[in-house]
Amino acid sequence: MHFDFGLRGVLLAAMVLALPGLAFAAKGDLKVQVPRSAPLLKGRTLDLRFADFAQGIWVRDLEDCPAKRIDRSAPGSALAIYRGLWEMPDRICQVYGAELGRRDTQRAAINCLLNNGAQSIELVTVQPRGTNGLIVQEGERPPVHFRFCEQITPVLKAAENNQAAR
């Protein structure tokens, strides 16, 4: 009897002999060490809400203040920011990572539900301008100047105020 394994035979034999070792390794022996945070985020803290300076109802034109319901305003005319929520006439969004940078500039990644039912992930930058202004830049679009219109009163605080007034 003559066996001519050749290169294919040797490779096949090596694979068959290695199978038990691979099956065992697939059960967790080959763990990869992953850093706990990306180098880009080292030393930084991400927040799940907007900075205090950005919170409130903002309008492009002060004639639109007091603001009607944000969802019924003209596109791009009004903006409501409260804690981790961002609402414009065409979408409502939630922050999933925000970082406060130098000079009170904050960048935030937001996950949005659009009025047409679609979803989008966006990057926004907010920066105070004077005492009653906010510069808002959505992604790579040009920055837009909003003016402070009114403070958002939390529901529990409003109920508390109503009880005190009675």
Side-chain angles (χ1 to χ4, degrees):
M1 248 164 76
H2 177 29
F3 293 101
D4 186 16
F5 285 107
L7 185 55
R8 279 190 215 171
V10 171
L11 288 175
L12 182 61
M15 286 175 35
V16 168
L17 290 174
L19 280 177
L22 286 177
F24 184 70
K27 292 180 182 173
D29 280 3
L30 301 177
K31 291 184 180 176
V32 178
Q33 292 294 328
V34 178
R36 291 194 176 267
S37 68
L40 182 64
L41 298 176
K42 272 216 187 309
R44 297 182 179 176
T45 301
L46 291 181
D47 203 348
L48 295 177
R49 59 178 279 174
F50 283 99
D52 290 339
F53 71 79
Q55 296 195 33
I57 297 176
W58 303 86
V59 292
R60 294 279 312 268
D61 188 353
L62 283 177
E63 291 178 3
D64 292 334
C65 190
K68 34 187 166 169
R69 287 184 38 184
I70 300 297
D71 62 338
R72 294 191 180 163
S73 299
S77 66
L79 166 65
I81 298 175
Y82 184 69
R83 297 185 184 223
L85 297 176
W86 164 288
E87 184 178 2
M88 291 187 93
D90 59 343
R91 69 195 123 176
I92 187 163
C93 312
Q94 186 171 4
V95 172
Y96 66 87
E99 178 187 35
L100 191 59
R102 290 179 247 138
R103 295 178 297 211
D104 289 335
T105 299
Q106 186 179 34
R107 296 185 79 184
I110 55 178
N111 185 10
C112 301
L113 178 61
L114 308 178
N115 284 355
N116 65 6
Q119 288 188 337
S120 69
I121 294 176
E122 301 177 18
L123 180 66
V124 296
T125 305
V126 293
Q127 180 178 15
R129 183 173 201 180
T131 56
N132 289 322
L134 187 70
I135 300 295
V136 175
Q137 184 172 10
E138 297 177 72
E140 297 296 321
R141 295 182 188 140
V144 176
H145 182 244
F146 283 88
R147 291 167 179 81
F148 183 77
C149 176
E150 58 187 281
Q151 185 177 4
I152 297 174
T153 306
V155 174
L156 293 176
K157 184 75 169 174
E160 193 177 282
N161 290 343
N162 286 341
Q163 288 292 334
R166 289 183 184 172

